[in-house]
C-alpha cells in the first residue's frame, strides 16, 4: 500500500474491531473528519490514571509511531485532549478502558 493512506474512519473501525476481539472495552468519544482526521487514543486504566497517544511522524526514519501526548491523572489527560480538540475539530478521540493499560497500538498495522 505504498503511497496510499487509509481513511481515518476505516482505520478507527478496524482498530475498534481489533480491540473488541481482544475483549478490551472501547468507544469513540469524538468523531472527527471521516477521511483525514487525526486520531487520539486515550487509555483509561480505571484507577484515576490515563494516558493519551497520538500518531507522530519520525523525520529521521520516515515511520509513523504512536507517542504519548499526555499521561497522569485522568482529569489532566482529559484537559489535554479538550485543548487539542479546541483547535482541531476534525480530531477523532477513542477511549480504551483496560486496567492493564492494553491498547494494541504496538501491534502490526496500527502505525499505518
Amino acid at each position: 500500500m505504498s503511497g496510499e493512506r487509509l481513511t481515518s474512519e476505516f482505520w478507527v473501525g478496524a482498530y475498534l474491531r481489533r480491540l473488541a476481539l481482544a475483549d478490551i472495552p472501547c468507544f469513540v468519544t469524538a468523531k472527527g473528519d471521516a477521511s483525514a482526521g487525526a486520531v487520539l487514543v486515550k487509555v483509561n486504566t480505571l484507577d484515576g490514571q490515563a494516558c493519551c497517544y497520538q500518531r507522530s511522524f519520525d523525520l529521521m526514519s520516515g515511520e509513523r509511531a504512536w507517542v504519548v501526548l499526555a499521561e497522569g491523572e485522568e482529569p489532566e489527560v482529559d484537559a489535554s485532549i479538550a485543548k487539542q480538540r479546541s483547535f482541531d475539530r476534525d480530531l477523532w478521540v477513542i477511549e480504551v478502558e483496560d486496567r492493564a493499560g492494553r491498547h494494541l497500538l504496538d501491534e502490526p498495522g496500527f502505525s499505518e
Side-chain angles (χ1 to χ4, degrees):
M1 270 181 59
S2 180
E4 294 180 34
R5 280 193 50 177
L6 299 175
T7 67
S8 298
E9 188 171 45
F10 184 88
W11 187 94
V12 167
Y15 182 58
L16 295 177
R17 179 71 179 138
R18 181 89 62 97
L19 288 165
L21 289 171
D23 292 324
I24 300 172
C26 59
F27 46 94
V28 175
T29 60
K31 185 173 181 178
D33 182 76
S35 60
V39 178
L40 296 180
V41 176
K42 174 187 168 190
V43 180
N44 181 347
T45 52
L46 306 172
D47 61 358
Q49 299 293 303
C51 184
C52 181
Y53 296 90
Q54 69 179 358
R55 267 191 293 191
S56 180
F57 186 74
D58 184 336
L59 294 175
M60 298 298 285
S61 69
E63 298 293 318
R64 290 181 180 269
W66 288 95
V67 297
V68 174
L69 171 68
E71 65 183 322
E73 298 288 325
E74 186 178 10
E76 294 171 16
V77 173
D78 287 342
S80 179
I81 292 169
K83 183 177 180 181
Q84 293 294 316
R85 290 226 358 110
S86 74
F87 55 80
D88 185 356
R89 302 306 299 168
D90 292 333
L91 191 64
W92 290 78
V93 181
I94 300 168
E95 183 160 345
V96 176
E97 294 182 341
D98 187 69
R99 291 188 190 285
R102 297 176 300 157
H103 48 67
L104 308 183
L105 295 173
D106 48 0
E107 289 194 355
F110 288 128
S111 294
E112 303 296 313

